[in-house]
Amino acid sequence: RQEYDDWAISAYHRYGLSDALTLGVRGEAEAGLYNLGTTGVMRSSRWGIMSGAISLSDGKENSGWAGSAGYVYRDKDFHLQGALRRYSSGYGIVGRLGTDERPEQEVMASTGYGVKGFGSFGLSFHQLTQYQGSNRKLASLTYSHTLYRRFNLMAAVSRTVTGDEGSTGFYVGLNYHPGSSLNTSLRHQQD
C-alpha cells in the first residue's frame, strides 16, 4: 500500500502560433512551494529546432529562478542535439522538498551518424553539477545495425563518474522481428 503526504499539482499549456513557433506556460505547486514559467520552441526546416524556458519559484524557505536552452538538428543520416539547464541556489523543484540533492547546472549533448550498409554510431555526454549532492558525468558510445532485415544488433559502452568514483559499462543486444506482432531479444549488460 502506498502512502502519500501533501498534495501537488502540475499544469502546462502550449499554443502553436505557426508551424515555426510554439509558446507556452507551465506551473507546478505543492504545500509551501510553487514555480511558474514560460516556454518557447522555434523550428526552422534549414537550421533545426531551438527551445528555451525560464521559471521562477517561491517557497517557505527560498525563491529562485531556472532557465534552459536546447537545440536539435536532424537530417537523413545525421543528428545533433544539446541542452543546458541552469538553476539558482534558491530555486525550488516540486517533489524535491527535503531531499539532499539540489541541481546547479545540467549539460547534455549527443550526436549520431548512420552509414548505409554499415550501421549507426552515436556519442553522448551528460554532466550534472549540484549545490548539494554528488556531481555526475556520463559519456557513452553506441552502435546499431540492421542485419538481414529482421535482426538488429545494438552495442554500447559507457563511462559514469559520480563524485570521485567511476564505473564503465558495456551492453550488447540482438533483436529478432520474425513478424509484425512478435519480437525476440537477447541482451547482455555488464558494469
Side-chain angles (χ1 to χ4, degrees), residues 145-162:
H145 183 54
T146 301
L147 309 167
Y148 309 112
R149 295 186 187 173
R150 297 185 184 269
F151 289 91
N152 184 266
L153 173 68
M154 297 167 293
V157 63
S158 62
R159 177 75 178 159
T160 304
V161 177
T162 303

Side-chain angles (χ1 to χ4, degrees), residues 9-179:
I9 188 170
S10 174
Y12 71 93
H13 178 71
R14 293 173 28 148
Y15 183 76
L17 298 174
S18 68
D19 284 345
L21 182 62
T22 300
L23 298 177
V25 294
R26 54 154 301 281
E28 56 185 17
E30 65 185 3
L33 173 67
Y34 71 89
N35 64 47
L36 302 169
T38 62
T39 64
V41 179
M42 188 170 68
R43 181 183 66 85
S44 164
S45 58
R46 182 174 182 183
W47 301 107
I49 300 169
M50 292 146 281
S51 62
I54 189 149
S55 295
L56 302 173
S57 75
D58 193 24
K60 292 177 184 176
E61 298 177 11
N62 291 315
S63 61
W65 61 269
S68 70
Y71 176 73
V72 177
Y73 177 81
R74 294 184 191 277
D75 75 4
K76 191 173 93 171
D77 298 319
F78 173 75
H79 82 267
L80 175 69
Q81 63 187 58
L84 171 66
R85 295 184 186 122
R86 180 88 176 154
Y87 307 86
S88 73
S89 61
Y91 184 73
I93 300 172
V94 168
R96 288 199 181 180
L97 285 176
T99 65
D100 291 334
E101 296 191 349
R102 285 185 32 238
E104 178 182 4
Q105 181 173 283
E106 199 170 3
V107 177
M108 294 164 280
S110 69
T111 187
Y113 187 74
V115 178
K116 188 174 181 179
F118 192 69
S120 298
F121 293 91
L123 182 64
S124 66
F125 175 77
H126 180 231
Q127 179 178 12
L128 174 65
T129 56
Q130 304 199 86
Y131 293 106
Q132 284 176 210
S134 298
N135 295 336
R136 289 189 279 268
K137 290 181 185 178
L138 169 64
S140 64
L141 176 64
T142 60
Y143 171 74
S144 67
H145 183 54
T146 301
L147 309 167
Y148 309 112
R149 295 186 187 173
R150 297 185 184 269
F151 289 91
N152 184 266
L153 173 68
M154 297 167 293
V157 63
S158 62
R159 177 75 178 159
T160 304
V161 177
T162 303
D164 295 329
E165 296 183 13
S167 67
T168 301
F170 174 74
Y171 166 86
V172 64
L174 182 65
N175 287 336
Y176 173 55
H177 307 281

